[in-house]
Amino acid sequence: MRLPDAELPSEEKSYAAPETHPSRVWLERILHDENDVEAWMGLAAAYEGMASEWQSWVSTQTHYLDPVADALARIGSIERAVEIGPGTGEATRLVATRARLVAAVDSSPAMMSRAPVLPNVRWLVGDARSLPIESGWADLVVGLNAVPSFQEINRVCAPAGRVLWANSFGPDTPLYVEPARFVGLLGPEWAGVARRVGFGEWCIAERRQS
Ligand SMILES: C[S@@+](CC[C@H](N)C(=O)[O-])C[C@H]1O[C@@H](n2cnc3c(N)ncnc32)[C@H](O)[C@@H]1O
């Protein structure tokens, strides 16, 4: 796992204690037990309630998409991507410039009703725990500030596919999974690289060659 020094913008940013954020509390429960239904439901309900303000809040966040843009530049062009938890689709716009087809799956109809219409993106209301995607379909599985089901990521990612997991605020991101932990939770056959960009970071993982 490679994590070079931070490339922080010169602006200041202040944060509340992220470990007490309700989303972080739900996330930690999910990371300890992917079958914790109450945690999954709590998290999904919380974001559904934020849908009306989400886009305007994101528009005030500088460097929000920098980690995704930086990682996608390394990944290059691909055929099929799945994005988990796209919300109102800010990162999806970038993914759609690299992938021929994107399936963007979010549990919140209210979030996705605000997403842009893009010719190569299919917006699917669905659950990260049971993605409406064929096994092995995705050359790339993407999540920005999203909640992972490691079982489902393993199922939908093609054998030679990659996973891009990014956050906008590093450890201060409410839905934060530290890159080495993320790769470990994917499973022992996975290896990853990570990099800090803007206020956030990305991690790209792929299965080791046997
Ligand atoms: C923190 S927001 C991130 C949205 C977007 N990726 C961004 O960075 O602006 C988390 C997203 O995950 C979605 N979400 C929460 N639980 C989910 C689940 N079980 N399955 C799919 N999406 C879920 C929420 O509706 C929300 O859109």
Side-chain angles (χ1 to χ4, degrees):
M1 177 69 50
R2 189 163 52 81
L3 195 59
D5 289 344
E7 297 172 11
L8 287 174
S10 55
E11 300 153 53
E12 285 184 12
K13 219 162 181 75
S14 60
Y15 303 98
E19 64 280 1
T20 62
H21 192 289
S23 296
R24 179 71 70 86
V25 176
W26 295 127
L27 174 70
E28 281 299 327
R29 280 177 54 171
I30 290 165
L31 296 178
H32 284 99
D33 176 10
E34 249 190 66
N35 298 314
D36 186 336
V37 175
E38 186 186 47
W40 281 101
M41 303 287 281
L43 198 60
Y47 284 102
E48 177 74 0
M50 293 179 217
S52 59
E53 300 99 48
W54 192 260
Q55 240 165 1
S56 50
W57 175 76
V58 168
S59 70
T60 65
Q61 302 303 305
T62 53
H63 307 287
Y64 192 81
L65 298 174
D66 288 5
V68 176
D70 189 72
L72 286 172
R74 293 189 174 221
I75 284 169
S77 297
I78 49 158
E79 278 293 300
R80 295 184 295 263
V82 171
E83 186 182 353
I84 299 172
T88 50
E90 282 73 14
T92 321
R93 286 180 194 273
L94 299 181
V95 178
T97 64
R98 298 282 176 174
R100 191 180 60 76
L101 183 59
V102 183
V105 183
D106 199 290
S107 58
S108 168
M111 284 276 190
M112 291 215 296
S113 69
R114 293 163 169 84
V117 175
L118 297 167
N120 59 336
V121 177
R122 305 290 172 269
W123 301 100
L124 303 169
V125 176
D127 199 301
R129 289 172 293 169
S130 53
L131 294 167
I133 305 289
E134 213 175 290
S135 297
W137 184 82
D139 302 311
L140 181 68
V141 179
V142 183
L144 173 67
N145 308 317
V147 56
S149 158
F150 292 97
Q151 281 174 24
E152 275 300 86
I153 294 173
N154 269 281
R155 185 183 67 77
V156 301
C157 190
R162 284 172 285 184
V163 178
L164 161 56
W165 211 254
N167 59 69
S168 298
F169 310 110
D172 294 308
T173 309
L175 293 180
Y176 179 68
V177 189
E178 194 269 321
R181 185 181 183 197
F182 182 89
V183 176
L185 287 167
L186 274 174
E189 69 274 34
W190 291 84
V193 291
R195 184 166 194 246
R196 295 193 185 107
V197 181
F199 294 113
E201 61 198 13
W202 58 251
C203 166
I204 299 173
E206 58 191 347
R207 294 182 179 93
R208 297 173 210 270
Q209 305 293 322
S210 53

